[in-house]
């Protein structure tokens, strides 16, 4: 079992993972100022080497494949793409790269789907920068790093059986939900995710059923009202 680090305690009896002396880091955010600020932050520490930065999902994957960073600091929204698109493809092509989600979106809404896709840490952009540094060091050493509220969500998802509402969506359904809510059509989503229209239509039906909604316009309103879209 992976140890939880940061605001959590390491599991009883578990030895903290060793932190590599030099951590190769990739930074992905769609805002130039944020990328530059994060790069300056990490380069102020002797233990970090920034091997690449990117502002889109496509560039993030290209950077990861070319440079194979130990850790990728990844924003959720990347233009028309999202962290979910990156995580899915990263797991298949560069599985050794651990991902720290760094976002201003509420962790209670996004953390579970992203963790299901392989994110090893989730840090709110409102948190102290030291928390982000700690998270990167933790996942580089083989641990995970989640706040106490996220840990509570994880325990609840294990102990409460089949969850309802947004928490009941699978990672793929959540991915489709975000794209539908942002106005993409079934065909556009199928092309972006390399799936068939039939598969996306099936996911759409499951999303509508689980959220007790009846149309794409209702999905969009739900996403706006619950701060999944800005």
């Amino acid at each position: 079992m992976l140890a939880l680090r940061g605001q959590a305690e390491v599991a009883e009896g578990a030895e903290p993972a060793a932190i590599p002396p030099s951590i190769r880091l990739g930074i992905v955010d769609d805002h130039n100022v944020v990328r530059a600020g994060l790069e300056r932050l990490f380069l102020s520490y002797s233990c970090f080497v920034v091997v690449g930065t990117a502002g889109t999902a496509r560039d993030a994957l290209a950077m990861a494949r070319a440079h194979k960073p130990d850790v990728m600091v990844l924003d959720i929204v990347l233009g028309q793409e999202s962290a979910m698109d990156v995580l899915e493809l990263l797991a298949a092509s560069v599985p050794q790269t651990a991902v720290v989600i760094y976002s201003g979106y509420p962790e209670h809404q996004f953390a579970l789907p992203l963790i299901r896709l392989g994110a090893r840490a989730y840090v709110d952009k409102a948190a102290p920068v030291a928390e982000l540094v700690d998270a990167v060091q933790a996942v580089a050493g083989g641990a995970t790093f989640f706040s106490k509220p996220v840990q509570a969500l994880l325990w609840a998802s294990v102990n409460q059986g089949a969850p309802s509402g947004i928490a009941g969506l699978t990672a793929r359904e959540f991915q489709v939900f975000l794209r539908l809510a942002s106005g993409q059509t079934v065909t556009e989503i199928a092309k972006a995710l390399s799936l068939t229209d039939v598969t996306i239509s099936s996911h759409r039906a499951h999303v509508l059923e689980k959220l007790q909604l009846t149309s794409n316009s209702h999905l969009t309103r739900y996403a706006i009202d619950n701060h999944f879209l800005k």
Side-chain angles (χ1 to χ4, degrees):
M1 178 178 293
L2 293 173
L4 295 173
R5 299 278 294 276
Q7 295 183 32
E9 295 180 355
V10 176
E12 185 176 355
E15 291 294 328
I19 299 172
S22 181
I23 299 171
R24 294 165 49 80
L25 189 64
I27 297 170
V28 183
D29 195 290
D30 62 343
H31 292 93
N32 293 333
V33 172
V34 175
R35 288 201 306 276
L38 289 176
E39 185 171 12
R40 285 196 298 272
L41 166 68
F42 285 108
L43 289 179
S44 69
Y45 292 82
S46 60
C47 61
F48 295 113
V49 176
V50 177
V51 298
T53 65
T56 68
R58 182 189 298 272
D59 289 345
L61 290 166
M63 177 264 288
R65 289 164 179 157
H67 300 292
K68 296 179 174 54
D70 300 313
V71 181
M72 178 182 288
V73 176
L74 180 63
D75 192 13
I76 288 180
V77 177
L78 303 168
Q80 293 297 313
E81 306 295 321
S82 74
M84 303 192 79
D85 303 309
V86 176
L87 280 164
E88 183 176 34
L89 295 173
L90 199 64
S93 59
V94 197
Q96 66 269 37
T97 296
V99 174
V100 173
I101 298 296
Y102 186 55
S103 176
Y105 280 90
E107 58 186 12
H108 71 273
Q109 293 176 321
F110 282 88
L112 283 182
L114 292 164
I115 291 168
R116 288 168 182 159
L117 279 174
R120 299 175 65 88
Y122 193 113
V123 179
D124 193 313
K125 284 185 175 178
V129 293
E131 187 169 319
L132 176 60
V133 173
D134 288 346
V136 171
Q137 290 180 319
V139 303
T144 57
F145 188 102
F146 301 119
S147 66
K148 290 182 178 178
V150 171
Q151 291 177 54
L153 287 173
L154 289 169
W155 282 114
S157 70
V158 171
N159 297 326
Q160 291 179 354
S164 60
I166 202 75
L169 300 183
T170 65
R172 177 68 81 191
E173 288 167 353
F174 188 79
Q175 193 175 20
V176 171
F177 157 70
L178 290 178
R179 288 179 174 273
L180 287 169
S182 68
Q184 294 185 37
T185 66
V186 165
T187 299
E188 288 170 339
I189 298 170
K191 182 178 180 180
L193 302 182
S194 299
L195 297 171
T196 66
D197 286 16
V198 172
T199 298
I200 298 302
S201 294
S202 177
H203 287 313
R204 175 183 178 275
H206 292 153
V207 169
L208 290 172
E209 179 182 3
K210 290 180 179 181
L211 299 183
Q212 299 183 343
L213 302 172
T214 59
S215 69
N216 286 7
S217 61
H218 290 161
L219 280 176
T220 299
R221 175 47 55 190
Y222 178 95
I224 292 172
D225 289 346
N226 290 279
H227 310 293
F228 288 103
L229 294 179
K230 288 185 178 179

